[in-house]
Short mmCIF file of all heavy atoms in Angstrom, two decimals:
data_model
loop_
_atom_site.label_atom_id
_atom_site.label_comp_id
_atom_site.label_asym_id
_atom_site.label_seq_id
_atom_site.Cartn_x
_atom_site.Cartn_y
_atom_site.Cartn_z
N ILE A 1 243.89 -15.34 -41.54
CA ILE A 1 244.75 -15.52 -40.38
C ILE A 1 244.10 -16.53 -39.43
O ILE A 1 243.01 -16.32 -38.93
CB ILE A 1 245.01 -14.19 -39.67
CG1 ILE A 1 245.57 -13.17 -40.66
CG2 ILE A 1 245.98 -14.39 -38.51
CD1 ILE A 1 246.81 -13.63 -41.41
N SER A 2 244.81 -17.62 -39.18
CA SER A 2 244.29 -18.75 -38.41
C SER A 2 244.06 -18.39 -36.95
O SER A 2 244.68 -17.48 -36.39
CB SER A 2 245.28 -19.91 -38.49
OG SER A 2 244.96 -20.93 -37.58
N THR A 3 243.20 -19.18 -36.30
CA THR A 3 243.00 -19.03 -34.85
C THR A 3 244.29 -19.25 -34.08
O THR A 3 244.47 -18.72 -33.00
CB THR A 3 241.92 -20.02 -34.36
OG1 THR A 3 241.70 -19.83 -32.97
CG2 THR A 3 242.34 -21.47 -34.58
N GLN A 4 245.23 -20.03 -34.65
CA GLN A 4 246.48 -20.29 -33.96
C GLN A 4 247.39 -19.07 -33.90
O GLN A 4 248.38 -19.07 -33.17
CB GLN A 4 247.21 -21.46 -34.62
CG GLN A 4 246.53 -22.81 -34.37
CD GLN A 4 247.38 -23.97 -34.82
OE1 GLN A 4 247.71 -24.08 -35.99
NE2 GLN A 4 247.74 -24.83 -33.90
N ALA A 5 247.05 -18.04 -34.63
CA ALA A 5 247.82 -16.81 -34.56
C ALA A 5 247.42 -15.96 -33.36
O ALA A 5 248.01 -14.89 -33.12
CB ALA A 5 247.66 -16.00 -35.85
N ASN A 6 246.42 -16.40 -32.60
CA ASN A 6 246.02 -15.74 -31.35
C ASN A 6 245.60 -14.29 -31.56
O ASN A 6 246.06 -13.38 -30.86
CB ASN A 6 247.16 -15.79 -30.32
CG ASN A 6 247.73 -17.17 -30.13
OD1 ASN A 6 248.93 -17.35 -30.13
ND2 ASN A 6 246.88 -18.17 -29.99
N VAL A 7 244.71 -14.07 -32.50
CA VAL A 7 244.21 -12.71 -32.75
C VAL A 7 243.10 -12.42 -31.74
O VAL A 7 242.00 -12.96 -31.83
CB VAL A 7 243.68 -12.57 -34.18
CG1 VAL A 7 243.09 -11.18 -34.40
CG2 VAL A 7 244.79 -12.83 -35.19
N CYS A 8 243.41 -11.58 -30.75
CA CYS A 8 242.46 -11.33 -29.66
C CYS A 8 242.20 -9.84 -29.41
O CYS A 8 241.56 -9.51 -28.41
CB CYS A 8 242.98 -11.97 -28.37
SG CYS A 8 243.06 -13.78 -28.42
N SER A 9 242.67 -8.97 -30.29
CA SER A 9 242.43 -7.54 -30.09
C SER A 9 242.28 -6.84 -31.42
O SER A 9 242.75 -7.32 -32.46
CB SER A 9 243.58 -6.90 -29.31
OG SER A 9 244.72 -6.72 -30.14
N TRP A 10 241.65 -5.66 -31.38
CA TRP A 10 241.48 -4.89 -32.62
C TRP A 10 242.83 -4.38 -33.13
O TRP A 10 243.02 -4.22 -34.33
CB TRP A 10 240.52 -3.73 -32.40
CG TRP A 10 240.90 -2.74 -31.34
CD1 TRP A 10 240.47 -2.71 -30.05
CD2 TRP A 10 241.77 -1.61 -31.51
NE1 TRP A 10 241.02 -1.64 -29.38
CE2 TRP A 10 241.82 -0.94 -30.25
CE3 TRP A 10 242.50 -1.09 -32.57
CZ2 TRP A 10 242.57 0.20 -30.04
CZ3 TRP A 10 243.26 0.05 -32.36
CH2 TRP A 10 243.30 0.68 -31.11
N LEU A 11 243.79 -4.19 -32.23
CA LEU A 11 245.12 -3.75 -32.65
C LEU A 11 245.78 -4.81 -33.53
O LEU A 11 246.38 -4.49 -34.57
CB LEU A 11 245.99 -3.47 -31.42
CG LEU A 11 247.37 -2.84 -31.68
CD1 LEU A 11 247.21 -1.41 -32.19
CD2 LEU A 11 248.22 -2.88 -30.41
N THR A 12 245.65 -6.09 -33.12
CA THR A 12 246.23 -7.19 -33.90
C THR A 12 245.50 -7.36 -35.22
O THR A 12 246.12 -7.64 -36.26
CB THR A 12 246.19 -8.48 -33.08
OG1 THR A 12 246.81 -8.25 -31.81
CG2 THR A 12 246.94 -9.60 -33.80
N VAL A 13 244.17 -7.23 -35.19
CA VAL A 13 243.41 -7.32 -36.43
C VAL A 13 243.88 -6.25 -37.41
O VAL A 13 244.10 -6.51 -38.61
CB VAL A 13 241.90 -7.18 -36.17
CG1 VAL A 13 241.13 -7.06 -37.49
CG2 VAL A 13 241.39 -8.38 -35.39
N ASN A 14 244.06 -5.02 -36.93
CA ASN A 14 244.53 -3.94 -37.81
C ASN A 14 245.93 -4.21 -38.34
O ASN A 14 246.25 -3.85 -39.48
CB ASN A 14 244.49 -2.60 -37.07
CG ASN A 14 243.11 -1.98 -37.06
OD1 ASN A 14 242.31 -2.24 -37.96
ND2 ASN A 14 242.82 -1.18 -36.05
N PHE A 15 246.77 -4.83 -37.52
CA PHE A 15 248.11 -5.20 -37.99
C PHE A 15 248.01 -6.11 -39.21
O PHE A 15 248.65 -5.87 -40.24
CB PHE A 15 248.89 -5.89 -36.88
CG PHE A 15 250.13 -6.60 -37.37
CD1 PHE A 15 251.30 -5.91 -37.58
CD2 PHE A 15 250.11 -7.98 -37.63
CE1 PHE A 15 252.44 -6.56 -38.05
CE2 PHE A 15 251.24 -8.64 -38.09
CZ PHE A 15 252.42 -7.93 -38.31
N TRP A 16 247.19 -7.18 -39.09
CA TRP A 16 247.08 -8.14 -40.19
C TRP A 16 246.38 -7.51 -41.40
O TRP A 16 246.72 -7.81 -42.54
CB TRP A 16 246.34 -9.39 -39.73
CG TRP A 16 247.20 -10.30 -38.90
CD1 TRP A 16 247.08 -10.59 -37.58
CD2 TRP A 16 248.36 -11.02 -39.36
NE1 TRP A 16 248.07 -11.45 -37.18
CE2 TRP A 16 248.87 -11.74 -38.25
CE3 TRP A 16 249.01 -11.14 -40.59
CZ2 TRP A 16 249.99 -12.56 -38.34
CZ3 TRP A 16 250.13 -11.96 -40.69
CH2 TRP A 16 250.61 -12.65 -39.57
N LYS A 17 245.44 -6.62 -41.14
CA LYS A 17 244.79 -5.91 -42.25
C LYS A 17 245.82 -5.10 -43.02
O LYS A 17 245.85 -5.12 -44.26
CB LYS A 17 243.69 -5.00 -41.70
CG LYS A 17 242.96 -4.21 -42.78
CD LYS A 17 242.13 -3.10 -42.19
CE LYS A 17 243.03 -1.98 -41.68
NZ LYS A 17 242.26 -0.80 -41.21
N ASN A 18 246.69 -4.40 -42.30
CA ASN A 18 247.71 -3.58 -42.96
C ASN A 18 248.75 -4.42 -43.68
O ASN A 18 249.40 -3.95 -44.62
CB ASN A 18 248.39 -2.67 -41.93
CG ASN A 18 247.46 -1.62 -41.37
OD1 ASN A 18 246.49 -1.23 -42.04
ND2 ASN A 18 247.70 -1.17 -40.15
N MET A 19 248.90 -5.67 -43.24
CA MET A 19 249.81 -6.59 -43.93
C MET A 19 249.19 -7.16 -45.20
O MET A 19 249.88 -7.75 -46.02
CB MET A 19 250.19 -7.74 -42.99
CG MET A 19 251.08 -7.32 -41.82
SD MET A 19 252.75 -6.86 -42.36
CE MET A 19 253.40 -8.45 -42.86
N GLY A 20 247.87 -6.99 -45.34
CA GLY A 20 247.20 -7.47 -46.54
C GLY A 20 246.31 -8.67 -46.35
O GLY A 20 245.87 -9.29 -47.33
N ALA A 21 246.00 -9.02 -45.08
CA ALA A 21 245.12 -10.16 -44.82
C ALA A 21 243.69 -9.84 -45.27
O ALA A 21 243.22 -8.70 -45.15
CB ALA A 21 245.14 -10.53 -43.35
N ASP A 22 243.01 -10.85 -45.74
CA ASP A 22 241.62 -10.70 -46.18
C ASP A 22 240.64 -10.95 -45.03
O ASP A 22 239.56 -10.38 -44.98
CB ASP A 22 241.33 -11.69 -47.32
CG ASP A 22 239.90 -11.59 -47.83
OD1 ASP A 22 239.58 -10.59 -48.50
OD2 ASP A 22 239.10 -12.51 -47.55
N LEU A 23 241.04 -11.82 -44.08
CA LEU A 23 240.16 -12.22 -42.97
C LEU A 23 240.99 -12.59 -41.76
O LEU A 23 242.09 -13.15 -41.90
CB LEU A 23 239.28 -13.40 -43.41
CG LEU A 23 238.36 -14.08 -42.40
CD1 LEU A 23 237.08 -14.58 -43.08
CD2 LEU A 23 239.06 -15.24 -41.69
N CYS A 24 240.47 -12.33 -40.57
CA CYS A 24 241.08 -12.78 -39.33
C CYS A 24 240.11 -13.69 -38.58
O CYS A 24 238.94 -13.32 -38.40
CB CYS A 24 241.45 -11.60 -38.43
SG CYS A 24 243.02 -10.82 -38.84
N VAL A 25 240.61 -14.85 -38.15
CA VAL A 25 239.83 -15.72 -37.27
C VAL A 25 240.15 -15.30 -35.84
O VAL A 25 241.30 -15.38 -35.41
CB VAL A 25 240.20 -17.20 -37.47
CG1 VAL A 25 239.29 -18.09 -36.61
CG2 VAL A 25 240.09 -17.60 -38.93
N LEU A 26 239.15 -14.85 -35.10
CA LEU A 26 239.39 -14.42 -33.73
C LEU A 26 239.64 -15.63 -32.84
O LEU A 26 239.02 -16.68 -33.00
CB LEU A 26 238.19 -13.62 -33.21
CG LEU A 26 237.86 -12.33 -33.96
CD1 LEU A 26 236.73 -11.59 -33.25
CD2 LEU A 26 239.09 -11.44 -34.08
N GLY A 27 240.56 -15.48 -31.90
CA GLY A 27 240.87 -16.56 -30.97
C GLY A 27 239.66 -16.95 -30.15
O GLY A 27 238.79 -16.12 -29.85
N ARG A 28 239.60 -18.21 -29.75
CA ARG A 28 238.48 -18.68 -28.94
C ARG A 28 238.43 -17.96 -27.58
O ARG A 28 237.42 -17.99 -26.90
CB ARG A 28 238.59 -20.19 -28.70
CG ARG A 28 238.36 -21.05 -29.94
CD ARG A 28 238.65 -22.50 -29.57
NE ARG A 28 238.37 -23.45 -30.62
CZ ARG A 28 239.21 -23.79 -31.58
NH1 ARG A 28 240.39 -23.19 -31.62
NH2 ARG A 28 238.90 -24.69 -32.48
N GLU A 29 239.54 -17.35 -27.18
CA GLU A 29 239.60 -16.68 -25.88
C GLU A 29 238.97 -15.29 -25.89
O GLU A 29 238.91 -14.62 -24.86
CB GLU A 29 241.07 -16.56 -25.44
CG GLU A 29 241.77 -17.89 -25.24
CD GLU A 29 242.20 -18.54 -26.54
OE1 GLU A 29 242.27 -17.85 -27.58
OE2 GLU A 29 242.47 -19.76 -26.52
N VAL A 30 238.49 -14.84 -27.04
CA VAL A 30 237.86 -13.53 -27.15
C VAL A 30 236.41 -13.62 -26.71
O VAL A 30 235.65 -14.46 -27.20
CB VAL A 30 237.94 -13.02 -28.60
CG1 VAL A 30 237.19 -11.70 -28.76
CG2 VAL A 30 239.39 -12.86 -29.03
N SER A 31 236.00 -12.75 -25.78
CA SER A 31 234.61 -12.74 -25.35
C SER A 31 233.75 -12.08 -26.43
O SER A 31 234.26 -11.42 -27.34
CB SER A 31 234.46 -11.96 -24.04
OG SER A 31 234.67 -10.57 -24.25
N PHE A 32 232.43 -12.22 -26.29
CA PHE A 32 231.52 -11.62 -27.27
C PHE A 32 231.65 -10.09 -27.25
O PHE A 32 231.70 -9.46 -28.31
CB PHE A 32 230.09 -12.04 -26.97
CG PHE A 32 229.08 -11.39 -27.89
CD1 PHE A 32 229.01 -11.75 -29.22
CD2 PHE A 32 228.22 -10.41 -27.40
CE1 PHE A 32 228.09 -11.15 -30.08
CE2 PHE A 32 227.30 -9.81 -28.25
CZ PHE A 32 227.23 -10.18 -29.59
N ASP A 33 231.70 -9.51 -26.07
CA ASP A 33 231.82 -8.05 -25.99
C ASP A 33 233.11 -7.56 -26.64
O ASP A 33 233.12 -6.52 -27.32
CB ASP A 33 231.78 -7.60 -24.53
CG ASP A 33 230.39 -7.75 -23.92
OD1 ASP A 33 229.42 -7.88 -24.68
OD2 ASP A 33 230.28 -7.73 -22.67
N GLU A 34 234.19 -8.30 -26.45
CA GLU A 34 235.46 -7.94 -27.09
C GLU A 34 235.34 -8.06 -28.61
O GLU A 34 235.84 -7.22 -29.37
CB GLU A 34 236.59 -8.83 -26.59
CG GLU A 34 237.00 -8.58 -25.16
CD GLU A 34 238.06 -9.56 -24.68
OE1 GLU A 34 237.89 -10.78 -24.90
OE2 GLU A 34 239.06 -9.11 -24.11
N ALA A 35 234.68 -9.14 -29.06
CA ALA A 35 234.52 -9.36 -30.50
C ALA A 35 233.69 -8.25 -31.13
O ALA A 35 233.98 -7.80 -32.25
CB ALA A 35 233.87 -10.71 -30.75
N VAL A 36 232.65 -7.80 -30.42
CA VAL A 36 231.82 -6.71 -30.93
C VAL A 36 232.63 -5.43 -31.04
O VAL A 36 232.53 -4.68 -32.03
CB VAL A 36 230.60 -6.50 -30.02
CG1 VAL A 36 229.87 -5.21 -30.38
CG2 VAL A 36 229.64 -7.68 -30.13
N GLU A 37 233.49 -5.17 -30.06
CA GLU A 37 234.34 -3.98 -30.11
C GLU A 37 235.31 -4.06 -31.29
O GLU A 37 235.55 -3.07 -32.00
CB GLU A 37 235.12 -3.83 -28.80
CG GLU A 37 235.98 -2.57 -28.76
CD GLU A 37 236.75 -2.42 -27.46
OE1 GLU A 37 236.67 -3.32 -26.61
OE2 GLU A 37 237.47 -1.41 -27.32
N ILE A 38 235.87 -5.26 -31.50
CA ILE A 38 236.77 -5.46 -32.64
C ILE A 38 236.03 -5.21 -33.95
O ILE A 38 236.55 -4.55 -34.86
CB ILE A 38 237.38 -6.88 -32.61
CG1 ILE A 38 238.32 -7.03 -31.42
CG2 ILE A 38 238.11 -7.17 -33.92
CD1 ILE A 38 238.79 -8.45 -31.18
N ARG A 39 234.79 -5.72 -34.03
CA ARG A 39 233.99 -5.51 -35.23
C ARG A 39 233.77 -4.03 -35.51
O ARG A 39 233.86 -3.56 -36.65
CB ARG A 39 232.66 -6.23 -35.06
CG ARG A 39 231.64 -6.05 -36.18
CD ARG A 39 231.98 -6.79 -37.46
NE ARG A 39 233.15 -6.24 -38.15
CZ ARG A 39 233.73 -6.80 -39.21
NH1 ARG A 39 233.28 -7.95 -39.68
NH2 ARG A 39 234.77 -6.25 -39.78
N LYS A 40 233.50 -3.25 -34.46
CA LYS A 40 233.23 -1.82 -34.62
C LYS A 40 234.49 -1.05 -35.04
O LYS A 40 234.43 -0.11 -35.83
CB LYS A 40 232.67 -1.25 -33.33
CG LYS A 40 231.25 -1.71 -33.02
CD LYS A 40 230.75 -1.15 -31.71
CE LYS A 40 229.33 -1.61 -31.42
NZ LYS A 40 228.84 -1.10 -30.11
N LYS A 41 235.63 -1.45 -34.49
CA LYS A 41 236.87 -0.73 -34.77
C LYS A 41 237.54 -1.19 -36.06
O LYS A 41 238.42 -0.50 -36.59
CB LYS A 41 237.85 -0.90 -33.61
CG LYS A 41 237.45 -0.13 -32.34
CD LYS A 41 238.49 -0.33 -31.25
CE LYS A 41 238.13 0.46 -30.00
NZ LYS A 41 238.26 1.91 -30.20
N CYS A 42 237.15 -2.36 -36.55
CA CYS A 42 237.80 -2.95 -37.74
C CYS A 42 236.74 -3.30 -38.77
O CYS A 42 236.50 -4.48 -39.07
CB CYS A 42 238.62 -4.18 -37.36
SG CYS A 42 239.80 -3.92 -36.03
#
């Protein structure tokens, strides 16, 4: 899932995972702390 899809939350990452995505590129607007939380939840 490209950065242009604006993946900025763990909820969106889980959506794409459930759709069958292999990888999500996190948006540049995601802070490090947010990215770490996404990593833990996904």
Side-chain angles (χ1 to χ4, degrees):
I1 305 305
S2 169
T3 182
Q4 289 190 299
N6 311 133
V7 177
C8 295
S9 76
W10 59 264
L11 187 68
T12 307
V13 171
N14 278 333
F15 166 82
W16 284 113
K17 180 194 72 174
N18 293 334
M19 291 291 290
D22 180 72
L23 175 147
C24 278
V25 184
L26 299 185
R28 290 174 176 86
E29 298 78 18
V30 176
S31 70
F32 177 70
D33 289 343
E34 290 176 312
V36 169
E37 183 180 3
I38 292 171
R39 175 72 292 172
K40 289 178 180 178
K41 289 181 178 290
C42 307

